């Protein structure tokens, strides 16, 4: 459970920065010693996507926003 990279891509014009920061904080609090980075990636067109090593584990298009669920999915991917 090391060397994993988590990316949180969020829509800047949509104002999703707060949600992205909440997700980043939760990932680092839970898995800080297990990931190499939890990076914020700027995007647009309504994107809010969480990837572990390039694979999407949560996407707002398909899933309800729930930080606890996102953390569970990141854990499964690690």
């Amino acid at each position: 459970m090391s060397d994993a990279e988590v990316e949180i891509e969020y829509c800047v014009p949509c104002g999703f920065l707060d949600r992205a920061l909440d997700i980043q904080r939760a990932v680092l609090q839970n898995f800080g010693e297990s990931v190499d980075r939890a990076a914020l990636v700027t995007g647009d067109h309504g994107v809010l996507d969480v990837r572990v090593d390039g694979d999407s584990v949560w996407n707002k298009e398909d899933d309800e926003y729930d930080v606890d669920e996102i953390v569970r999915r990141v854990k499964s991917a690690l």
Side-chain angles (χ1 to χ4, degrees):
M1 239 170 73
S2 64
D3 300 324
E5 294 188 358
V6 177
E7 289 186 337
I8 301 134
E9 184 177 4
Y10 69 98
C11 179
V12 175
C14 298
F16 289 161
L17 176 59
D18 287 343
R19 286 185 176 192
L21 287 169
D22 289 343
I23 295 166
Q24 182 186 45
R25 185 178 303 108
V27 166
L28 290 172
Q29 284 175 338
N30 285 277
F31 313 113
E33 296 178 358
S34 304
V35 297
D36 282 344
R37 68 182 180 139
L40 297 179
V41 179
T42 58
D44 53 17
H45 301 295
V47 69
L48 185 57
D49 188 37
V50 180
R51 295 183 293 270
V52 177
D53 292 332
D55 297 322
S56 181
V57 297
W58 183 89
N59 186 301
K60 84 160 189 61
E61 294 296 317
D62 304 320
D63 305 296
E64 186 176 326
Y65 179 72
D66 178 348
V67 173
D68 294 333
E69 177 61 23
I70 295 168
V71 167
R72 284 191 288 275
R73 292 186 187 190
V74 169
K75 182 178 181 178
S76 293
L78 295 176

